[in-house]
């Protein structure tokens, strides 16, 4: 759904498309805010699943496209880092707030904040005005690509008589977009393996730490807060300094390298405090996502930002689906008595190999 939603935002505006997921996001929280009995939980689960099928990840995707619309190419990496840092700070605040709220109040606050975000967006956000000066146009009047390395796939394919016959991107359009630039193709590979590793770690880590070191929910929350605070400070303070100095490609390589270190450290954790140290590596590995998105934004014109970001989000979503199917059973096997050999963190190490694959793709492309 992400390429479709991104493409529609190129045509109808970011604000119009942001209204849909922000409106629908209110409903699941409102259900549990009203009641948490069994029937209401099932209603929440069904509604949440249906909404996620359409809208999961669309708000970050459209936000990235909106920033790309309004920020010149030279400052996008810093802007994407700041956007990601604000999201991390929201994660930290949400995590901390649950320490002080009752279960009932948690869902009521969640629904209220969702309503506030929708109202704020509708009242204060100005819709993107596509500025052709941000980057070279995708096509010349003759239909030939302008500029080296720019994507030539358009969000509307015209027939011989000049009439538009297609507006929604097909799988063929997505492949055409990715093949139009070597950098885009490499970014797609990096996005897939990075998401495979990230979700694989999240799918396995809590299970692993609970079985290995008897972590409880408060310790998990503490790790999340440590990681979130470190990532927030890094993206809001360090990234605006490092991105212009090193460039997105080098900073992406730095982020992916420390992603590998961070994951491998989890896999060989020998005592309970090692995971806390690994969590602090978010100071450096959080550079990966904003740098990758900034690189992608520079490969397409201003009228295709939604489509390009949606394509990368779609690839990441596909990795998010298959990653737990691979790593969760592997974690269960190596934490059981049926393990082929004694290495409780073996599944986490396999996650690390996926992050190494993302790093090598990035390293080869630079």
């Amino acid at each position: 759904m992400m390429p479709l939603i991104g493409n529609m935002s190129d045509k109808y505006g970011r604000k119009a498309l942001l209204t849909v997921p922000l409106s629908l996001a209110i409903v699941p929280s409102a259900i549990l805010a009203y009641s948490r009995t069994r029937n209401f939980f099932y209603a929440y689960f069904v509604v949440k699943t249906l909404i996620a099928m359409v809208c999961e990840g669309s708000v970050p995707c459209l936000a990235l496209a909106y920033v790309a619309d309004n920020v010149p190419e030279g400052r996008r990496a810093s802007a994407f880092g700041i956007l990601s840092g604000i999201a991390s700070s929201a994660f930290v605040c949400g995590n901390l707030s649950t320490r002080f709220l009752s279960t009932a109040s948690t869902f009521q606050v969640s629904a209220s904040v969702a309503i506030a975000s929708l109202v704020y967006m509708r009242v204060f956000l100005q819709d993107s005005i596509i500025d052709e000066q941000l980057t070279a146009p995708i096509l010349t009047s003759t239909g030939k690509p302008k500029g080296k390395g720019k994507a030539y796939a358009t969000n509307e394919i015209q027939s011989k008589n000049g009439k538009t016959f297609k507006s929604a991107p097909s799988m063929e359009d997505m492949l055409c977009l990715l093949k139009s630039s070597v950098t885009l193709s490499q970014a797609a590979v990096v996005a897939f393996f990075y998401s495979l590793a990230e979700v694989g770690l999240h799918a396995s880590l809590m299970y692993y730490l609970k079985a290995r070191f008897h972590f409880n929910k408060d310790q998990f929350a503490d790790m999340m807060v440590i990681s979130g605070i470190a990532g927030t400070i890094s993206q809001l303070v360090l990234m605006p300094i490092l991105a212009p100095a090193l460039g997105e490609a080098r900073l992406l390589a730095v982020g992916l390298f420390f992603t590998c270190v961070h994951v491998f450290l989890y896999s060989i954790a020998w005592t309970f405090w090692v995971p806390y140290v690994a969590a602090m590596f978010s100071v450096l590995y959080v550079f990966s996502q904003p740098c990758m998105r900034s690189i992608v934004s520079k490969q397409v014109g201003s009228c295709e930002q939604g489509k390009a970001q949606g394509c990368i989000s779609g690839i990441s979503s596909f990795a998010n689906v298959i990653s737990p199917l691979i790593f969760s059973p592997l974690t269960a096997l190596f934490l059981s008595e049926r393990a082929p050999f004694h290495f409780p963190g073996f599944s986490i190490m396999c996650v690390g190999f996926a992050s190494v694959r993302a790093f090598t793709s990035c390293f080869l492309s630079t």
Side-chain angles (χ1 to χ4, degrees), residues 51-316:
I51 290 174
M53 288 171 63
V54 179
C55 300
E56 184 73 19
S58 58
V59 173
C61 175
L62 295 175
L64 289 166
Y66 183 87
V67 170
D69 290 340
N70 294 281
V71 177
E73 288 186 357
R75 289 163 41 197
R76 281 186 197 165
S78 299
F80 283 2
I82 291 171
L83 180 66
S84 184
I86 292 170
S88 295
S89 66
F91 173 80
V92 172
C93 292
N95 221 317
L96 289 175
S97 67
T98 59
R99 291 292 189 96
F100 307 102
L101 296 173
S102 65
T103 302
S105 299
T106 297
F107 295 108
Q108 292 167 0
V109 170
S110 175
S112 300
V113 171
I115 293 170
S117 66
L118 173 63
V119 172
Y120 179 88
M121 187 274 296
R122 293 301 305 174
V123 173
F124 295 105
L125 190 71
Q126 295 183 349
D127 211 346
S128 300
I129 300 173
I130 293 177
D131 183 1
E132 296 294 344
Q133 301 301 318
L134 293 181
T135 185
I138 301 299
L139 295 176
T140 64
S141 58
T142 59
K144 296 180 180 179
K146 285 184 70 176
K148 194 172 182 179
K150 296 292 182 182
Y152 60 83
T154 59
N155 59 338
E156 290 187 353
I157 301 173
Q158 296 187 349
S159 60
K160 293 181 180 180
N161 60 7
K163 294 182 179 180
T164 300
F165 67 87
K166 186 185 288 187
S167 59
S170 64
M171 184 61 68
E172 186 178 355
D173 296 332
M174 294 300 99
L175 292 174
C176 182
L177 177 66
L178 294 176
K179 290 179 180 179
S180 64
S181 165
V182 174
T183 303
L184 266 178
S185 301
Q186 292 289 348
V189 174
V190 171
F192 176 80
F193 283 102
Y194 178 81
S195 297
L196 193 73
E198 182 181 39
V199 176
L201 182 64
H202 291 164
S204 306
L205 186 61
M206 291 186 180
Y207 186 21
Y208 166 71
L209 292 177
K210 184 174 182 178
R212 188 90 166 86
F213 303 114
H214 308 291
F215 270 38
N216 57 36
K217 62 182 181 64
D218 291 336
Q219 290 171 300
F220 291 138
D222 290 340
M223 283 183 54
M224 292 178 184
V225 169
I226 291 170
S227 180
I229 291 174
T232 299
I233 294 172
S234 180
Q235 290 173 115
L236 293 179
V237 178
L238 294 180
M239 192 163 178
I241 298 171
L242 295 177
L246 297 179
E248 295 101 321
R250 289 190 181 91
L251 200 56
L252 173 61
V254 170
L256 291 173
F257 173 77
F258 281 100
T259 298
C260 302
V261 174
H262 151 259
V263 175
F264 284 128
L265 190 56
Y266 276 127
S267 71
I268 61 171
W270 57 91
T271 187
F272 73 95
W273 55 262
V274 176
Y276 291 99
V277 175
M280 295 188 68
F281 273 91
S282 61
V283 170
L284 296 169
Y285 75 71
V286 291
F287 297 143
S288 304
Q289 193 71 247
C291 286
M292 180 178 62
R293 296 293 189 150
S294 177
I295 291 169
V296 168
S297 75
K298 294 181 179 181
Q299 305 307 307
V300 297
S302 54
C303 62
E304 285 193 321
Q305 290 297 330
K307 183 178 179 181
Q309 297 295 345
C311 184
I312 297 299
S313 294
I315 291 169
S316 298

